[in-house]
Amino acid sequence: MQAHQTLADIQHLLNEVLAAPAQWQALAPFTDTDGDLAAQVLDEAAKFVDSAVAPLQRSGDEEGCRFEAGTVTTPAGFRAAYQDFWQAGWPSLACAPEDGGQGLPAVLECVLYEWLAGANHGWTMAPGLLHGAYECLRHHGSEALKAQYLPRIASGEWLATMCLTEAHAGSDLGLVRTRGVPQADGSVRVNGSKIFISGGEHDLTDNIVHLVLARLPDAPAGPKGLSLFLVPKLLPGGERNAVVCERIEEKMGLHGSPTCVMRFDDATGWLVGQPHQGLAAMFVMMNAARLHVGLQGLGLLEAAWQKASAYAQERRQMRAPKAPGSAASTGPDPIARHPAMRRILTTQRAWIDGGRVLAYHTALQLDLAHHHADATERAAAQRWCALVTPVLKAALTDQAFHGASACLQVFGGHGYVREWGIEQVVRDARVAMIYEGTNEIQAIDLLVRKVLADGGQGLCALLASLRHGLPQDDAANARRNALADTTRALAAAAATEPELPYWVADDYLRAVALVLLEWAWARIAAAPASQGPRWAEPAEAFATWVLPEFDMRLAIIRQRLSTAAADVHRRTAPAMAAA
Amino acid sequence: MQAHQTLADIQHLLNEVLAAPAQWQALAPFTDTDGDLAAQVLDEAAKFVDSAVAPLQRSGDEEGCRFEAGTVTTPAGFRAAYQDFWQAGWPSLACAPEDGGQGLPAVLECVLYEWLAGANHGWTMAPGLLHGAYECLRHHGSEALKAQYLPRIASGEWLATMCLTEAHAGSDLGLVRTRGVPQADGSVRVNGSKIFISGGEHDLTDNIVHLVLARLPDAPAGPKGLSLFLVPKLLPGGERNAVVCERIEEKMGLHGSPTCVMRFDDATGWLVGQPHQGLAAMFVMMNAARLHVGLQGLGLLEAAWQKASAYAQERRQMRAPKAPGSAASTGPDPIARHPAMRRILTTQRAWIDGGRVLAYHTALQLDLAHHHADATERAAAQRWCALVTPVLKAALTDQAFHGASACLQVFGGHGYVREWGIEQVVRDARVAMIYEGTNEIQAIDLLVRKVLADGGQGLCALLASLRHGLPQDDAANARRNALADTTRALAAAAATEPELPYWVADDYLRAVALVLLEWAWARIAAAPASQGPRWAEPAEAFATWVLPEFDMRLAIIRQRLSTAAADVHRRTAPAMAAA
């Protein structure tokens, strides 16, 4: 992916569609960051991505990471690119000035990571967790820990990991067995084994800071007995800690990122936050990480689209069918003119453009939630982030994989061979549907933990807010009303049918994603400078090929609701007859 | 995949649901093949697949094929398994006894190849084209060619290839440039380069028989100037022909099958069939091949389901939500009890079971079309094959990839690593959406070349025939009527809007696939022995999660129809106003 190809589009969405600079300049920390400064930052970021990171994508996949006797060697060029990256200050873009950061709005960091993932997903895994680790340590670390670690995590001089999963504990972190035993000097001895640790060991930085979920000796069973520990690869004195990489996984893709099995053998660590409150501290990382994974989805889909679009302009096969009155072709047409290929390409653009509006808007809400002067505004922004983050994570990574596969199809047989690089995007993208909580977990998080927790009120309020500032649209209102009605029906049914929301959570998340995308496209259409085929074609593709899924999802949920109602009737009828 | 795990299911579908033995025994060549003989053949076939072919799946992927100086070495064990395969008579199962074959019904061969593909897709590519080559040569070869090649292709002693694609000619075979120049001795000198030749070179058999599309010197341009030539690796005297494998492709998957770039340098060949009629002769191979690719889809999806289902029974994470009145769990439940995972697993079963009914029924129609005593019956069977083959090819390979990806999701992070083998199924399955005509080409073949060619009459007749022998079902009738109405509307609109069918061909194919699957599930339900959860659960999954897509597809087509009508109105209105 070439970031500079997307610069004008992204500037249009930030400035014309979202009026992003005016939004962040209303917040105290960002009053001095005007649109010109932001444009300059993005321009430099695009140059870095295109010149330093994108060229290593294919070699990183083919060479992969090598494991030997506990050490991990990343592909040629990865270390140099990372050293350039942190020394140029990119990791600290959105860190606070008091921690050595540049104090820029979150949305600029989001654009940077979208590009990085599109340019080289494997490489980007290394710095991808930095900002989450920074926020986690900043909010929950002791002053001593912060003094030792925060500046070097903010700058990216040291990289960080999240050590959650164990072989038997994946989606169910309550089963975690790793233990931490407090020592007299205030440190903790950590013992246990973790799997799927991205960047658990590598040669990109000298030190690696692991944030490890484990149990204190007096911990209650289950997820409420987990504490968070900081366990560095190198101890403050410089000696090696008892943290060992046992092996790295052979994976479907993402070969540029070492996925490590890590063993902690009486490793020295320190508690982060309160005992048994590790999950809450870790979720500071997880929520930021989930938005970033959604952005990875956008970057990967843009990468697939750029490849397929370029190929479709060049490759000529058969004459395309013509509308009456069009000039007949004299030879085979570029396949970009064939309806089946045009449909694939414009559909991906509809997802990328609409998805960008949603993701950037969410990033703006992140800053609003922290920094807005008005508590009501902060709460509304917080509600948006809580409800929309799982939707973006699931819907955008799902589209990254399926849309990249559709783009592979544009290449025909050439898409299945390595040469064109599109099959790598499909393989790399697949993991994003799994990590940071599988997309099924995101759907349950949305429907069960967030929407139904308040009987659907928060979601219905968010739906109602989508009308503001846009021209009246009866069809969109009808869809939002239907979704609100279905939400209330689900809330009512869940009381007697606790299994029901778990069956339809995926459909519910898709329905929410589609009304959000419809809103995003209405925002694009409402911007005066969104004229011409660049925005009209994907807008039409969205309405024609993407949005019809909404009715199907609602029909599936309603069918299950009526089945559930019949079941309840069947179960309760005999009791009522007996009464 | 373990074939024996599927034996009882497949016997149920063949014997109870389709009454297949009675159908084939009504045809002259198969009167002696009773259900017991068929059961014995399938039992032996399952043993061979499970013991000789399945164990090489993962090693074949990891080892891959090696290319060195024009020779290709297949993974360890591949040659021995193939030698056992042909010497045991498996390739000749459905070949005519006069050619040394066993003269069994096509449907038995279909089950064999479904299993082989599920057990080891890469290995199965080698014999996968044999039967097509046999049919092609049998119908179009000269007596001399048949005497030399037919028995050894029927037996599988020699393997065969289809050499169609060139670097610049993929979906558009009219662009093929390879040339054949007739010689005084009746042979032809062939020159040119072909790509994507599965099994173009290997060590499985001593000789390889290439069927090559090329142009005679006096050939007209385009697809009507293509002739078919037989070009063997070893000439009849035993000397090496001028056929060179230049390299093999690095692919996303299917590493057990060498995908070759082949160069013909004054190679000696012979014309098969009439000059400039090569495409027609080749399509004898292509149509058989397309049904086989659909069966590959079934086998791959079964492989993915078997892996995911076994994992979901073992893996325990979190307590599953429970219907009221169910006993509470005392610890984490098998993930097979979690609704999101149950939904994935039963949805794949709905596709596999329904898809098998359709594929086996189509295989029976193949034999009926050739051997039925009554011309009307033969024509109806032929119509079924012509219309349903592209639907099966596209819909079953699409589901193989997307369903295998859903099964990968059941494994969470474990699905993305090689260890469990599920990611290999996803990578292998991807190619089946491309080869033997991309799925977009299948959709155009169905809608433009077949359905609209007779104004939709054939398709509507097929839809009407789906009622026969089944209980009245108003909802199913309504869907079929809606599809018939939409078909006629498309036929009417296509006259003035030639681009329109190309835009909606994918939706149309999906809609046809869904009414066919609905029919398949009605057939299963109508069989007395289809009681119990084994068949009731996927039946419910089909109705709940799969079938709702039908309304969406029809809504998309209708929306395009109304847009097209508005466009025509806009274009013609000024002219009418002027008149």
Side-chain angles (χ1 to χ4, degrees), chain B residues 10-27:
Chain B
I10 289 175
Q11 291 287 7
H12 177 72
L13 297 175
L14 288 175
N15 298 331
E16 309 297 326
V17 174
L18 290 169
Q23 289 200 61
W24 72 55
Q25 285 192 282
L27 307 175

mmCIF file of all heavy atoms in Angstrom, chain B residues 10-27:
data_model
loop_
_atom_site.group_PDB
_atom_site.id
_atom_site.type_symbol
_atom_site.label_atom_id
_atom_site.label_comp_id
_atom_site.label_asym_id
_atom_site.label_seq_id
_atom_site.Cartn_x
_atom_site.Cartn_y
_atom_site.Cartn_z
ATOM 1 N N ILE B 10 -23.559 -40.448 3.808
ATOM 2 C CA ILE B 10 -23.647 -40.483 2.342
ATOM 3 C C ILE B 10 -24.536 -41.636 1.885
ATOM 4 O O ILE B 10 -25.334 -41.492 0.949
ATOM 5 C CB ILE B 10 -22.219 -40.542 1.746
ATOM 6 C CG1 ILE B 10 -21.533 -39.178 1.958
ATOM 7 C CG2 ILE B 10 -22.244 -40.926 0.274
ATOM 8 C CD1 ILE B 10 -20.080 -39.116 1.535
ATOM 9 N N GLN B 11 -24.441 -42.766 2.559
ATOM 10 C CA GLN B 11 -25.336 -43.888 2.228
ATOM 11 C C GLN B 11 -26.791 -43.478 2.447
ATOM 12 O O GLN B 11 -27.673 -43.814 1.658
ATOM 13 C CB GLN B 11 -25.015 -45.110 3.106
ATOM 14 C CG GLN B 11 -23.672 -45.760 2.801
ATOM 15 C CD GLN B 11 -23.673 -46.534 1.479
ATOM 16 O OE1 GLN B 11 -24.640 -46.483 0.710
ATOM 17 N NE2 GLN B 11 -22.569 -47.217 1.208
ATOM 18 N N HIS B 12 -27.038 -42.751 3.514
ATOM 19 C CA HIS B 12 -28.399 -42.279 3.782
ATOM 20 C C HIS B 12 -28.899 -41.385 2.645
ATOM 21 O O HIS B 12 -30.016 -41.554 2.147
ATOM 22 C CB HIS B 12 -28.432 -41.522 5.110
ATOM 23 C CG HIS B 12 -29.771 -40.935 5.433
ATOM 24 N ND1 HIS B 12 -30.851 -41.720 5.817
ATOM 25 C CD2 HIS B 12 -30.230 -39.657 5.413
ATOM 26 C CE1 HIS B 12 -31.907 -40.941 6.016
ATOM 27 N NE2 HIS B 12 -31.551 -39.684 5.784
ATOM 28 N N LEU B 13 -28.046 -40.459 2.228
ATOM 29 C CA LEU B 13 -28.468 -39.529 1.169
ATOM 30 C C LEU B 13 -28.674 -40.265 -0.153
ATOM 31 O O LEU B 13 -29.649 -40.015 -0.869
ATOM 32 C CB LEU B 13 -27.433 -38.404 1.008
ATOM 33 C CG LEU B 13 -27.257 -37.505 2.240
ATOM 34 C CD1 LEU B 13 -26.123 -36.504 2.016
ATOM 35 C CD2 LEU B 13 -28.547 -36.761 2.584
ATOM 36 N N LEU B 14 -27.759 -41.180 -0.481
ATOM 37 C CA LEU B 14 -27.894 -41.911 -1.751
ATOM 38 C C LEU B 14 -29.099 -42.848 -1.732
ATOM 39 O O LEU B 14 -29.891 -42.884 -2.689
ATOM 40 C CB LEU B 14 -26.620 -42.716 -2.039
ATOM 41 C CG LEU B 14 -25.376 -41.929 -2.452
ATOM 42 C CD1 LEU B 14 -24.179 -42.867 -2.583
ATOM 43 C CD2 LEU B 14 -25.607 -41.188 -3.780
ATOM 44 N N ASN B 15 -29.249 -43.602 -0.658
ATOM 45 C CA ASN B 15 -30.247 -44.669 -0.665
ATOM 46 C C ASN B 15 -31.631 -44.202 -0.236
ATOM 47 O O ASN B 15 -32.618 -44.481 -0.909
ATOM 48 C CB ASN B 15 -29.784 -45.813 0.246
ATOM 49 C CG ASN B 15 -28.485 -46.409 -0.252
ATOM 50 O OD1 ASN B 15 -28.207 -46.391 -1.452
ATOM 51 N ND2 ASN B 15 -27.668 -46.914 0.663
ATOM 52 N N GLU B 16 -31.699 -43.462 0.890
ATOM 53 C CA GLU B 16 -33.009 -43.087 1.432
ATOM 54 C C GLU B 16 -33.541 -41.812 0.778
ATOM 55 O O GLU B 16 -34.730 -41.716 0.492
ATOM 56 C CB GLU B 16 -32.909 -42.862 2.945
ATOM 57 C CG GLU B 16 -32.258 -43.991 3.725
ATOM 58 C CD GLU B 16 -33.060 -45.283 3.619
ATOM 59 O OE1 GLU B 16 -34.300 -45.189 3.552
ATOM 60 O OE2 GLU B 16 -32.432 -46.370 3.563
ATOM 61 N N VAL B 17 -32.668 -40.842 0.590
ATOM 62 C CA VAL B 17 -33.142 -39.531 0.117
ATOM 63 C C VAL B 17 -33.277 -39.517 -1.404
ATOM 64 O O VAL B 17 -34.290 -39.069 -1.941
ATOM 65 C CB VAL B 17 -32.203 -38.407 0.614
ATOM 66 C CG1 VAL B 17 -32.597 -37.056 0.017
ATOM 67 C CG2 VAL B 17 -32.222 -38.344 2.141
ATOM 68 N N LEU B 18 -32.260 -40.006 -2.097
ATOM 69 C CA LEU B 18 -32.267 -39.907 -3.566
ATOM 70 C C LEU B 18 -32.687 -41.205 -4.255
ATOM 71 O O LEU B 18 -32.905 -41.200 -5.471
ATOM 72 C CB LEU B 18 -30.875 -39.501 -4.065
ATOM 73 C CG LEU B 18 -30.450 -38.066 -3.740
ATOM 74 C CD1 LEU B 18 -28.964 -37.866 -4.034
ATOM 75 C CD2 LEU B 18 -31.290 -37.045 -4.529
ATOM 76 N N ALA B 19 -32.825 -42.302 -3.522
ATOM 77 C CA ALA B 19 -33.099 -43.601 -4.141
ATOM 78 C C ALA B 19 -32.206 -43.793 -5.369
ATOM 79 O O ALA B 19 -32.661 -44.197 -6.446
ATOM 80 C CB ALA B 19 -34.577 -43.723 -4.521
ATOM 81 N N ALA B 20 -30.938 -43.514 -5.177
ATOM 82 C CA ALA B 20 -30.007 -43.507 -6.303
ATOM 83 C C ALA B 20 -29.870 -44.867 -6.988
ATOM 84 O O ALA B 20 -29.890 -44.942 -8.224
ATOM 85 C CB ALA B 20 -28.642 -42.986 -5.838
ATOM 86 N N PRO B 21 -29.746 -45.973 -6.242
ATOM 87 C CA PRO B 21 -29.580 -47.262 -6.941
ATOM 88 C C PRO B 21 -30.731 -47.558 -7.905
ATOM 89 O O PRO B 21 -30.497 -48.003 -9.035
ATOM 90 C CB PRO B 21 -29.519 -48.271 -5.795
ATOM 91 C CG PRO B 21 -28.985 -47.497 -4.630
ATOM 92 C CD PRO B 21 -29.579 -46.123 -4.778
ATOM 93 N N ALA B 22 -31.965 -47.276 -7.482
ATOM 94 C CA ALA B 22 -33.105 -47.522 -8.377
ATOM 95 C C ALA B 22 -32.996 -46.669 -9.630
ATOM 96 O O ALA B 22 -33.341 -47.106 -10.736
ATOM 97 C CB ALA B 22 -34.413 -47.229 -7.642
ATOM 98 N N GLN B 23 -32.482 -45.451 -9.470
ATOM 99 C CA GLN B 23 -32.364 -44.561 -10.633
ATOM 100 C C GLN B 23 -31.330 -45.067 -11.623
ATOM 101 O O GLN B 23 -31.562 -45.083 -12.822
ATOM 102 C CB GLN B 23 -32.006 -43.146 -10.183
ATOM 103 C CG GLN B 23 -33.148 -42.434 -9.473
ATOM 104 C CD GLN B 23 -32.938 -40.919 -9.475
ATOM 105 O OE1 GLN B 23 -32.870 -40.289 -10.524
ATOM 106 N NE2 GLN B 23 -32.850 -40.355 -8.285
ATOM 107 N N TRP B 24 -30.143 -45.447 -11.130
ATOM 108 C CA TRP B 24 -29.118 -45.872 -12.093
ATOM 109 C C TRP B 24 -29.413 -47.265 -12.637
ATOM 110 O O TRP B 24 -29.065 -47.564 -13.775
ATOM 111 C CB TRP B 24 -27.710 -45.711 -11.534
ATOM 112 C CG TRP B 24 -27.246 -46.661 -10.461
ATOM 113 C CD1 TRP B 24 -27.230 -48.032 -10.528
ATOM 114 C CD2 TRP B 24 -26.701 -46.327 -9.181
ATOM 115 N NE1 TRP B 24 -26.724 -48.556 -9.361
ATOM 116 C CE2 TRP B 24 -26.381 -47.542 -8.518
ATOM 117 C CE3 TRP B 24 -26.445 -45.130 -8.531
ATOM 118 C CZ2 TRP B 24 -25.831 -47.580 -7.230
ATOM 119 C CZ3 TRP B 24 -25.889 -45.186 -7.265
ATOM 120 C CH2 TRP B 24 -25.591 -46.395 -6.610
ATOM 121 N N GLN B 25 -30.083 -48.099 -11.828
ATOM 122 C CA GLN B 25 -30.383 -49.456 -12.331
ATOM 123 C C GLN B 25 -31.414 -49.435 -13.459
ATOM 124 O O GLN B 25 -31.548 -50.411 -14.184
ATOM 125 C CB GLN B 25 -30.826 -50.362 -11.186
ATOM 126 C CG GLN B 25 -29.639 -50.780 -10.312
ATOM 127 C CD GLN B 25 -29.977 -51.896 -9.339
ATOM 128 O OE1 GLN B 25 -30.603 -51.664 -8.302
ATOM 129 N NE2 GLN B 25 -29.578 -53.117 -9.684
ATOM 130 N N ALA B 26 -32.123 -48.318 -13.614
ATOM 131 C CA ALA B 26 -33.049 -48.184 -14.749
ATOM 132 C C ALA B 26 -32.304 -47.882 -16.050
ATOM 133 O O ALA B 26 -32.904 -47.846 -17.123
ATOM 134 C CB ALA B 26 -34.061 -47.077 -14.448
ATOM 135 N N LEU B 27 -30.995 -47.659 -15.970
ATOM 136 C CA LEU B 27 -30.199 -47.337 -17.163
ATOM 137 C C LEU B 27 -29.411 -48.576 -17.589
ATOM 138 O O LEU B 27 -28.824 -49.269 -16.729
ATOM 139 C CB LEU B 27 -29.232 -46.190 -16.855
ATOM 140 C CG LEU B 27 -29.883 -44.923 -16.259
ATOM 141 C CD1 LEU B 27 -28.814 -43.903 -15.887
ATOM 142 C CD2 LEU B 27 -30.892 -44.322 -17.234
#
